[in-house]
Amino acid sequence: MEKPCSLLVHFDKGSAAMANEIKADLEGGDGPAKADAMRRAISLLLNGETLPQLFITIVRYVLPSEDHTVQKLLLLYLEIIDRRDPAGRALPEMILICQNLRNNLQSPNEYIRGVTLRFLCRLSEPEVLEPLVPSVLENLEHRHHFIRRHAVSAVSAIYRLPHGDQLIPDAPELVERLLASEQDASARRNAFLMLCACAQERAVAYLLSNADRVAEWPDLLQMAVLDLIRKVCRSQNRANKGRYITIITSLLSAPSTAVVYECAGALVSLSSAPTAVRAAANTYCQLLSSQSDNNVKLILLDRLNELRTTHRDVMVGVVMDVLRALASPNLDVKKKVLDLVLDLLTPRNVEEVVLYLKKEVVKTQAGDLEKGAEYRQMLVQAIHACAVEYPEVAGSVVHLLMDFLGDTNVAAAVDVVLFVREIIETNPKLRVSMIQRLIDTFYQIRASRVCSCALWILGEYSLSQSEVESAIATIKQCLGDLPFYTVSDEGEINDSAKPAQPVVNSVTVSSRRPVVLADGTYATQSAATETISTASVAPGSLASTLNLRSLILSGDFFLAAVVACTLTKLVLRLEEVQPSKVESNKACTGALLIMTSILQLGQSSYLPHPIDNDSYDRIVLCVRLLCNTGDDVRKIWLQSCRQSFAKMLAEKQFRETEEMKAKAQISHAQPDDLIDFYHLKSRRGSKLCFGDCVVVLNDFFYQHGGSTASMSRLMHTDVCIIENAFEG
């Protein structure tokens, strides 16, 4: 905009031709008509019209009106018109307004006085304000607080003008006297703000003289006190910082949450002592648990995160208080809480944190939480991060999380199975119990990606004879009876006009991510889908255990290839741990029968699309391997895959460690940043010591990687300037 404006109203029906209609309504209309005409005139002025011919009409016909609405609109009109000529002087016509304003300031109606005083706050013409000053000062002692409140604001606005101290030279004394006897909260706040802006030393003296009663002041005045303390401590000597901190501490128990929030922020800005930071953190945590607004919770979490970056040791003590904010139903709040807590983990509190997260996971099983699946996924990821950083806590949660392998939320189930895969490699003591738990819960899995990863775990970490035999039996049970179809079924499909789909109902979710096989190689996947069975069956019935069969019959031949690879690994390992060759050959024959049945299904017309070439080649490779096994191939299948996975985890941990080191080495200050010489004061007195300056500059420069030559140039330029500045 071309000029400052305190009022903005949209008006899209205005035109210059309306000026005559407005003038006619102002001259002959009654109160409501004049008010409507004034509204249209103000709207036209705000749209850029000048309307110079209306001023005299308004002076003649609007000034004498006693209608309160008309008088208020008149003040708005005077506020937005251009009151100066091109030379910058006040228009002579404004003198005609002074008498009306004086009458308003002396009106028996409190509303007229108040709105007129509020209007004077927006005037900047000394020629207009000078004759009104006596009337403004009289209103400082009016019996009604509404008038005193706006009178203080008018005095403050006039005094802050370029030559305002000439118009009201004793304004600070008058306002200070008013502040001592005033009872209205808003009037006291306006008076205190006026002293803070115009006579800061008087405001500081008043504050320190009433320091014991600040906690009893109204919240509006307490907020003004906090603003003053910040301003004083930034611009002046901090000699009274201890008294200021005492005042802020007394306000931490104020009933107003806004005051308490501002106190915590002011306390951190004034002091970095652990007690002050701990008090601020506890205050934020109390507000976090007491406030119901999600936006307020997010702001408080941001403040706590700022404290974490600078005072992590103190924040570690309030981790459990922060975790209580997980009771909020908002997922954004929950995510911020978990991110903050994960950055504050230590060996001392990790067990408490994991136990709390474990209880939250159990709560999500109730099913009455809104977006419980997404929240459970966040909790699983958080527990995964805790277990990776502190492996000793993995045993207390891994078995609970394995109950969610069959979760209908595919992302949460995938997070769980990836967590299980990593923990079973990094915690050898838990392998036996985890394998047994995985075998017991495998039939509950309904997602293809989860099944693939679970099969890889069974194939790699089933080491004993009982584990291998249980894994093979579980896979056979989930596949069901062979073959997958009969010739009569295929004939019925060929004779039907519309091919029939597999019996099991399913929900298929498309996935375009690259497919990584269990041994670390890549493969194309023509049916890259994640399928969850939706058949409503009893949990213990036979149909509920045929998860692999339903997924394969839906066309998921990538999963079929993973089944073939897993059976191959299990048979090869059974040959090593099973002393009876008869049992080994029987298991090998059963695995070959399953693979050939899958190949027969993929090449038949029973399914809408045939098996893809990549899955076909992998299954054929498994068949050939079981028919003719060599020592080198056996070593690759039984050892190399797990070694590659262990190497991948080690590289991942190394990469994360390097990233943390890189973040820790990021400098928050640069060699050319300005130095606050307040910190270079000698402890022996208040004078700056040149030797201390040189030492601090030297340390500062070498901490930021400076060379000897650069240091020499610095010593001959900047330090010489400092020496000259502090001579004597």
Side-chain angles (χ1 to χ4, degrees), residues 595-651:
M595 297 177 195
T596 54
S597 299
I598 294 174
L599 292 175
Q600 183 183 15
L601 174 67
Q603 293 178 334
S604 68
S605 58
Y606 181 75
L607 296 181
H609 54 82
I611 187 172
D612 58 283
N613 294 332
D614 187 76
S615 300
Y616 178 84
D617 292 341
R618 289 191 64 82
I619 296 175
V620 170
L621 176 64
C622 294
V623 172
R624 292 176 178 174
L625 178 61
L626 290 180
C627 294
N628 186 12
T629 305
D631 293 337
D632 294 337
V633 175
R634 184 185 298 272
K635 181 179 179 181
I636 292 174
W637 279 73
L638 298 182
Q639 299 180 14
S640 298
C641 292
R642 196 187 318 162
Q643 293 173 356
S644 300
F645 180 63
K647 184 178 180 181
M648 183 194 75
L649 292 181
E651 291 179 352

Side-chain angles (χ1 to χ4, degrees), residues 456-473:
W456 185 86
I457 295 173
L458 291 176
E460 290 294 335
Y461 297 98
S462 297
L463 304 180
S464 65
Q465 177 182 346
S466 60
E467 291 174 349
V468 173
E469 292 176 348
S470 299
I472 294 175

Side-chain angles (χ1 to χ4, degrees), residues 196-310:
C196 294
C198 304
Q200 193 176 90
E201 66 283 353
R202 292 179 180 270
V204 172
Y206 177 79
L207 173 61
L208 296 179
S209 62
N210 295 273
D212 298 336
R213 295 188 293 273
V214 173
E216 303 172 1
W217 288 357
D219 54 350
L220 293 176
L221 193 55
Q222 290 174 347
M223 295 288 286
V225 166
L226 294 174
D227 291 337
L228 174 65
I229 291 176
R230 287 196 189 94
K231 187 184 299 183
V232 169
C233 291
R234 280 198 302 262
S235 60
Q236 296 182 1
N237 193 351
R238 299 190 176 189
N240 295 318
K241 187 176 73 170
R243 300 187 65 182
Y244 294 144
I245 292 178
T246 303
I247 293 173
I248 295 174
T249 305
S250 66
L251 293 178
L252 285 176
S253 57
S256 173
T257 55
V259 173
V260 173
Y261 172 79
E262 292 295 335
C263 283
L267 198 59
V268 174
S269 64
L270 286 182
S271 174
S272 59
T275 54
V277 177
R278 189 176 296 108
N282 290 331
T283 300
Y284 286 141
C285 291
Q286 292 174 4
L287 293 175
L288 190 63
S289 60
S290 63
Q291 298 300 306
S292 58
D293 188 274
N294 293 327
N295 294 323
V296 174
K297 289 180 180 290
L298 292 174
I299 293 173
L300 291 170
L301 289 171
D302 288 338
R303 300 291 83 79
L304 288 170
N305 192 43
E306 291 174 1
L307 291 181
R308 178 195 61 79
T309 58
T310 54

Side-chain angles (χ1 to χ4, degrees), residues 683-699:
R683 296 182 179 179
R684 296 183 296 274
S686 61
K687 292 183 179 180
L688 285 172
C689 178
F690 171 69
D692 292 342
C693 294
V694 175
V695 172
V696 173
L697 284 173
N698 188 11
D699 294 340

Side-chain angles (χ1 to χ4, degrees), residues 692-711:
D692 292 342
C693 294
V694 175
V695 172
V696 173
L697 284 173
N698 188 11
D699 294 340
F700 176 81
F701 192 81
Y702 279 111
Q703 285 176 2
H704 291 79
S707 61
T708 305
S710 301
M711 186 63 195

